[in-house]
Amino acid sequence: MSTPVEETLVLVKPDGVARQLTGEILRRIEAKGYVIVDLKMVQADRGLLEQHYEEHQGKPFFEPLVEFMLSGPIVAIRLQGNRVIEGFRSLAGTTDPTTAAPGTIRGDLGRDWGLKVAQNLVHGSDSPESSSRELALWF
Ligand code: DAT
Ligand code: MG
């Protein structure tokens, strides 16, 4: 059985850019064999972030999340490969960086800084519907 080629949106969040981990994160993505189709550095605005995180509106971490994402530049990546949506989520690790598995981006490079929002270095789309929606927002 063959699997379709997919695209996903990856973001290196402001903590990843500020900590100069963009190269390390791209290295892991490329070492896995996924193809970087497009890439840019962006300073997001509130409107973009509110749309990007619309599923989280009303949650207690929503406003700190938007403020964090506004705090510095973000590297946005259009990534392509077979099953890349779940594959990148697996590379990234689970949301909480303290307990994300070692070997993952969040597990190896992230930690809890005692802030109101999980600063977990990367975003990856969670479904084909999300990836289409998010790629249209960012690219
Ligand atoms: P993911 O980024 O793993 O898809 P998510 O979509 O549930 O996670 O949440 C989006 C971001 O919001 C997440 O990367 C970090 C932050 N976040 C999520 N749940 C949180 C919580 N309980 N406390 C603080 N920040 C949280
Ligand atoms: Mg998510």
Side-chain angles (χ1 to χ4, degrees):
M1 206 178 94
S2 64
T3 57
V5 175
E6 296 175 337
E7 288 190 345
T8 194
L9 175 74
V10 172
L11 302 176
V12 180
K13 296 182 179 183
D15 57 334
V17 175
R19 291 178 57 204
Q20 299 185 233
L21 292 171
T22 304
E24 170 62 19
I25 291 164
L26 292 175
R27 187 193 66 74
R28 289 171 181 235
I29 288 169
E30 289 199 302
K32 182 81 170 178
Y34 295 133
V35 177
I36 295 168
V37 177
D38 204 350
L39 180 153
K40 63 179 174 183
M41 183 174 274
V42 229
Q43 177 62 60
D45 62 31
R46 178 172 287 274
L48 170 62
L49 294 168
E50 288 183 350
Q51 283 185 274
H52 175 76
Y53 280 127
E54 66 180 9
E55 68 177 302
H56 297 304
Q57 280 188 30
K59 296 181 185 173
F61 60 83
F62 181 73
E63 186 56 31
L65 175 61
V66 170
E67 290 294 330
F68 161 55
M69 295 293 282
L70 284 168
S71 70
I74 289 169
V75 174
I77 303 149
R78 180 189 291 270
L79 199 62
Q80 192 184 79
N82 296 82
R83 297 174 68 195
V84 69
I85 296 170
E86 66 180 320
F88 178 76
R89 300 264 303 176
S90 179
L91 275 188
T94 50
T95 306
D96 178 352
T98 291
T99 53
T104 65
I105 292 166
R106 289 165 169 173
D108 286 350
L109 309 173
R111 51 163 286 196
D112 190 331
W113 302 94
L115 302 169
K116 286 183 186 159
V117 72
Q119 299 204 344
N120 56 12
L121 299 161
V122 287
H123 166 84
S125 309
D126 64 7
S127 67
E129 297 69 34
S130 301
S131 75
S132 306
R133 191 181 71 81
E134 293 171 3
L135 283 165
L137 285 174
W138 290 84
F139 285 95

